[in-house]
């Protein structure tokens, strides 16, 4: 006999979106203000575009795919093109996708 799971609340779920522009050390301290503004504006544009999809009923997986595609097509970022060396001098790449529906978790890494 499997345990009964509580129903998934739909009206209290708020989508969250977290992105990053790839490997490297891009901060306000190591970029000129104009360059930092360009990177920031680009990331905010990706967030807005993807957030708009989430508020119109697009699935989380489709929204994540949209955000990744925008970053892959943006020459400012190294998404899908390579990596920088780690502190130990090796190159590491990774990608993850997790889709959750209540207590049923899915992940790819």
């Amino acid at each position: 006999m499997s345990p009964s799971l509580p129903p998934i609340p739909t009206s209290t779920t708020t989508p969250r979106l977290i992105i990053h522009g790839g490997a490297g050390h891009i901060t306000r301290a190591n970029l000129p203000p104009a360059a930092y503004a360009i990177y920031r504006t680009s990331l905010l544009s990706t967030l807005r575009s993807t957030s708009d999809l989430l508020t119109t009923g697009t699935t989380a997986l489709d929204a994540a795919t949209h955000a990744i595609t925008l970053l892959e097509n943006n020459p400012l970022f190294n998404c899908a093109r390579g990596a920088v060396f780690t502190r130990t001098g090796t190159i590491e790449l990774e990608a993850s996708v997790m889709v959750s529906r209540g207590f049923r978790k899915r992940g790819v890494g």
Side-chain angles (χ1 to χ4, degrees), residues 17 46 49-51 53-54 58-69:
L17 179 63
T46 297
S49 174
T50 307
S51 181
L53 291 176
L54 288 171
T58 300
T59 67
L61 184 57
D62 287 343
T65 301
H66 172 78
I68 291 165
T69 301

Side-chain angles (χ1 to χ4, degrees), residues 1 4 11 20 32 35 43 45-46 48 51 55-56 59 63 67 71-72 75 81 86 88 98-99:
M1 177 198 258
S4 176
S11 61
H20 70 86
L43 289 171
S45 175
T46 297
R48 275 189 217 94
S51 181
T55 60
T56 60
T59 67
L71 291 171
E72 286 177 343
R81 283 191 285 282
T86 65
T88 61
M98 293 191 76
V99 178

Side-chain angles (χ1 to χ4, degrees), residues 1 4 18-19 22 24 26 28 30-31 43-44 46-47 61 68 77 81 86 92 106:
M1 177 198 258
S4 176
I18 300 168
I19 63 170
I26 300 171
R28 287 182 197 216
N30 67 9
L31 283 179
L43 289 171
L44 288 174
T46 297
L47 283 172
L61 184 57
I68 291 165
F77 306 108
R81 283 191 285 282
T86 65
E92 296 177 12
R106 304 290 185 263

Side-chain angles (χ1 to χ4, degrees), residues 80-104:
R81 283 191 285 282
V84 297
F85 287 103
T86 65
R87 289 182 181 156
T88 61
T90 61
I91 293 178
E92 296 177 12
L93 295 171
E94 66 180 59
S96 296
V97 174
M98 293 191 76
V99 178
S100 171
R101 180 169 163 74
F103 294 101
R104 294 178 213 96

